[in-house]
Amino acid sequence: MYVPGFGEASPEKKAAKNLHDFFTYIAVRIVTAQLESYSPEAYEDLMEFLSRHSLNDGDKFCAALMRESPRHKGLAMRILEVRSSYCKNDFEWDNLKRLSVTIVEESNIRLMRDYVVETSPATESEK
Amino acid sequence: MYVPGFGEASPEKKAAKNLHDFFTYIAVRIVTAQLESYSPEAYEDLMEFLSRHSLNDGDKFCAALMRESPRHKGLAMRILEVRSSYCKNDFEWDNLKRLSVTIVEESNIRLMRDYVVETSPATESEK
């Protein structure tokens, strides 16, 4: 569907780009948790790198991690693999849609109810 | 799938919450464009309100718009309707998944290729 003000990109493309950074963030979480269990040294490497680099731009983060040292490069390659596999196999796309529809419905009802309650002095006096 | 570090909320829930604000933003775009065509006064109302209020939190924005004036309340109700309808009927969920998978694959390939090219002096000398 055409939405005004998106120029060349569609809303779906814009949302997919945001999800891409989110999947990188999730992949970092997964890899960090795995390393913590069985590779304390690599865990320290990654945590230290995370303290110095933002994850807001997932690709920029991975590019910097690849160039930090050969050890860090191995970690970056693992993050690339995990984000690809997570996006394709583990993320529950149907659930995302279901939750989104629920959130919009519940939010709309809540906003209207709050307004109605707020502007009903009768309701207040009944308390 | 369980992802460490998300506490009670799942990645799907977190992504759905982000999409919720995005859908509000899109609804505002759609309503603004509609008003611009056939209701210049309401268009001015909404644009002026937008200049004073952030759309980062979609629900907060709608709640404030509802309370601005009776005219603004009508605009808010329209935005609530449009975001619900857009989320359920117009947003292309299958396309979102397809684009997300493409972006992660293309980004992974690009990151590796850039690294390989950068660290290959032979390639440089061939230029």
Side-chain angles (χ1 to χ4, degrees):
Chain A
M1 179 198 173
Y2 171 73
V3 173
F6 271 82
E8 291 297 305
S10 64
E12 289 78 9
K13 185 82 175 269
K14 197 169 153 57
K17 279 182 185 169
N18 280 335
L19 276 179
H20 178 61
D21 288 321
F22 183 58
F23 291 146
T24 310
Y25 167 81
I26 287 176
V28 169
R29 287 277 192 180
I30 292 171
V31 171
T32 307
Q34 289 168 343
L35 295 175
E36 196 176 10
S37 310
Y38 72 88
S39 181
E41 221 173 282
Y43 173 76
E44 283 306 318
D45 283 348
L46 187 51
M47 291 307 283
E48 191 278 330
F49 188 84
L50 274 165
S51 72
R52 289 186 287 114
H53 293 81
S54 163
L55 257 168
N56 287 348
D57 183 330
D59 284 354
K60 204 172 151 189
F61 177 87
C62 293
L65 187 62
M66 285 171 90
R67 286 156 180 80
E68 183 77 2
S69 82
R71 269 202 339 244
H72 288 81
K73 188 170 59 179
L75 295 174
M77 293 308 290
R78 187 126 133 217
I79 291 165
L80 298 191
E81 267 171 49
V82 169
R83 72 178 183 178
S84 167
S85 159
Y86 183 81
C87 169
K88 283 190 273 189
N89 308 319
D90 298 313
F91 189 67
E92 296 163 10
W93 292 92
D94 292 344
N95 203 11
L96 175 70
K97 180 180 178 177
R98 195 181 56 75
L99 287 166
S100 296
V101 170
T102 304
I103 289 174
V104 80
E105 289 311 305
E106 287 180 354
S107 300
N108 282 1
I109 291 169
R110 187 176 43 72
L111 283 166
M112 290 186 283
R113 193 181 47 215
D114 286 355
Y115 181 86
V116 172
V117 169
E118 206 178 295
T119 54
S120 302
T123 313
E124 283 299 308
S125 66
E126 279 165 18
K127 278 181 187 168
Chain B
M1 179 199 173
Y2 172 74
V3 174
F6 270 83
E8 291 297 306
S10 63
E12 289 79 8
K13 184 81 176 272
K14 197 168 152 61
K17 280 183 183 169
N18 280 336
L19 276 179
H20 179 61
D21 288 322
F22 184 59
F23 290 146
T24 310
Y25 168 81
I26 287 176
V28 169
R29 286 278 193 182
I30 293 172
V31 171
T32 307
Q34 289 169 342
L35 295 175
E36 195 176 12
S37 309
Y38 71 88
S39 181
E41 222 172 282
Y43 173 76
E44 283 307 318
D45 283 348
L46 187 51
M47 292 306 284
E48 191 278 330
F49 188 83
L50 274 165
S51 73
R52 289 186 286 114
H53 294 82
S54 162
L55 257 168
N56 288 348
D57 183 330
D59 284 353
K60 203 171 153 189
F61 177 88
C62 293
L65 187 61
M66 285 173 90
R67 285 156 180 79
E68 182 77 2
S69 83
R71 268 201 340 245
H72 289 80
K73 187 170 60 180
L75 295 173
M77 292 308 291
R78 188 125 132 220
I79 291 166
L80 298 191
E81 266 170 50
V82 170
R83 73 177 182 178
S84 166
S85 159
Y86 182 82
C87 168
K88 283 189 274 189
N89 308 318
D90 298 312
F91 189 68
E92 295 162 10
W93 293 94
D94 292 346
N95 203 11
L96 175 69
K97 179 179 179 178
R98 195 182 54 76
L99 286 166
S100 296
V101 170
T102 305
I103 289 174
V104 79
E105 289 312 304
E106 287 179 355
S107 299
N108 282 1
I109 291 167
R110 187 176 42 73
L111 283 167
M112 289 185 285
R113 193 181 48 215
D114 287 354
Y115 182 85
V116 172
V117 169
E118 208 179 292
T119 53
S120 303
T123 312
E124 283 299 307
S125 66
E126 280 164 18
K127 279 181 185 170

